[in-house]
Amino acid sequence: MIVLGIESSCDETAAAVLADGRRVLSNVVASQDAIHAPYGGVVPELASRRHLEVIVPVVRKALAAASLGLTDLDGVAVTQGPGLVGSLLVGCAVAKSLAYVHALPLVGVNHLEGHIYASFLTDDPPEHPFLALVVSGGHTALYHARAPLTYALVGQTRDDAAGEAFDKVAKLLGLGFPGGPVIERTAVEGDPKAITFPLAQMSDGGADFSFSGVKTSVSLHVKRRGPLGRAEIADIAASFQATVVKMLVRKTVKAALHHGIKRIVLTGGVAANGPLRAGLEAAAIEHGLRLHVPPRHLCTDNAAMITAAGSARLAAGERASLNLNAAPDLPLAS
Ligand code: KG4
Ligand code: ZN
């Protein structure tokens, strides 16, 4: 089964072609970072306009890279949500048009399920049941994947997403956008123990996350110190990153042990972070858990992951009608 997948939920315009849901024949990502960087964050109106400009060339490029044409396809998958409505609409309109004109089965994919499916595009896919930590710019949540295509929400952030905290702290430190990669690079020269930022403690001891406290502490620290030198910025970046990693690792391992789940999947844009990958790996080994982490380029937004999830849903017989609509708040589980 050859499936074309389209992703346009935020600021990446992406298309991919997969064979049998696992073999990536092509995976094209057009980043809009340069467009949004001057604003220090994604500007929704600019994002949807850019998607409109590049989506058809991106789809063409994905087909060409796979040496296939539209008539070779067996299905079309598209991110339905969650995400920015104007951005999602572009992908949905193109996917529906292709499905209609070429009489192809269509399926809508939850972007977060896409992130989880990135872990199936490796030589070591996870077996069910597993616990998935999805950490991105818009979401930070733990899902219990009991069986294929079945998810239960275990915990989620009560305020900012982890990636959002990286982006806001990078802006505070004058490091640019997107914040995650530049904080990781800056932190290499810093001391992660230089400053103690607070670890959010949930009063009910639950599996939820909170990142607004650490973000506010960084902001107060920066205000108190006045103009910062390079070494100080590196120390703040390293200490902030270490705090976020510690919170994510602790909650995830605790939830896995509490629910008796032996396998963990780490995915989403923030899963590209080296110290997070290393920290969760070390904690998993310590507690006898198996960790599955997709390669970095499949952790950040891409269409291969959407196509993988869409292929699984098409194979299970799922079909969307041509009434498929963008769903900016689409939940994966409740
Ligand atoms: O999954 P993603 O590409 O888009 C969303 O679905 O949101 O995640 C983007 C987020 C951004 O906040 C970005 O700063 C963060 O992932 N990110 C990172 C790294 N690379 C991307 N955060 C920490 N370390 C990284 N290396
Ligand atoms: Zn994402």
Side-chain angles (χ1 to χ4, degrees):
M1 186 174 61
I2 308 278
V3 177
L4 168 74
I6 295 174
E7 152 67 32
S8 69
S9 66
C10 190
D11 61 339
E12 252 87 45
T13 321
V17 180
L18 261 69
D20 303 321
R22 289 215 3 102
R23 216 152 39 87
V24 182
L25 304 182
S26 66
N27 186 22
V28 178
V29 182
S31 166
Q32 300 183 1
D33 281 353
I35 291 173
H36 303 290
Y39 306 94
V42 177
V43 183
E45 179 65 22
L46 296 181
S48 45
R49 281 167 191 252
R50 186 65 183 160
H51 283 308
L52 261 182
E53 283 167 11
V54 303
I55 194 138
V56 172
V58 163
V59 167
R60 282 219 174 98
K61 203 167 160 189
L63 287 167
S67 304
L68 294 171
L70 286 164
T71 50
D72 298 312
L73 299 178
D74 300 306
V76 179
V78 65
T79 305
Q80 186 180 5
L84 302 169
V85 67
S87 291
L88 291 164
L89 278 169
V90 176
C92 287
V94 170
K96 286 196 287 187
S97 308
L98 289 173
Y100 175 64
V101 172
H102 297 276
L104 290 166
L106 173 71
V107 70
V109 173
N110 184 300
H111 181 81
L112 305 176
E113 181 173 58
H115 274 304
I116 293 171
Y117 262 80
S119 64
F120 289 92
L121 296 176
T122 67
D123 295 334
D124 178 32
E127 273 172 44
H128 292 85
F130 59 80
L131 182 71
L133 171 62
V134 183
V135 257
S136 71
H139 297 86
T140 297
L142 283 167
Y143 294 101
H144 183 180
R146 293 175 204 280
L149 309 175
T150 311
Y151 309 92
L153 182 66
V154 171
Q156 63 184 328
T157 182
R158 295 194 181 175
D159 38 62
D160 293 348
E164 200 178 345
F166 270 95
D167 294 337
K168 287 178 179 167
V169 166
K171 201 171 176 179
L172 270 171
L173 296 175
L175 294 173
F177 172 85
V182 69
I183 291 219
E184 182 173 358
R185 278 196 305 277
T186 307
V188 171
E189 292 171 22
D191 173 6
K193 294 200 169 77
I195 307 143
T196 310
F197 292 123
L199 285 171
Q201 302 288 349
M202 292 301 142
S203 50
D204 56 9
D208 282 348
F209 303 97
S210 167
F211 299 100
S212 71
V214 59
K215 180 194 67 189
T216 306
S217 308
V218 173
S219 164
L220 291 174
H221 183 85
V222 168
K223 279 199 191 108
R224 226 179 294 128
R225 300 304 288 246
L228 299 168
R230 191 188 159 110
E232 242 180 323
I233 290 179
D235 280 347
I236 296 172
S239 302
F240 161 76
Q241 178 177 255
T243 307
V244 172
V245 167
K246 205 181 274 180
M247 287 198 273
L248 289 169
V249 170
R250 274 194 190 172
K251 289 273 177 185
T252 304
V253 169
K254 198 172 159 202
L257 297 176
H258 178 75
H259 292 273
I261 310 169
K262 292 273 175 225
R263 283 172 289 266
I264 299 175
V265 164
L266 168 63
T267 188
V270 182
N273 185 270
L276 175 58
R277 297 165 80 93
L280 194 53
E281 178 72 49
I285 291 170
E286 187 188 333
H287 292 92
L289 306 166
R290 271 294 309 278
L291 179 67
H292 299 261
V293 196
R296 284 181 170 78
H297 73 283
L298 294 178
C299 285
T300 49
D301 284 352
N302 66 87
M305 67 185 198
I306 301 300
T307 319
S311 299
R313 290 200 170 266
L314 285 169
E318 197 172 310
R319 300 288 181 269
S321 81
L322 291 173
N323 291 328
L324 173 96
N325 201 3
D329 298 317
L330 188 69
L332 180 59
S334 49

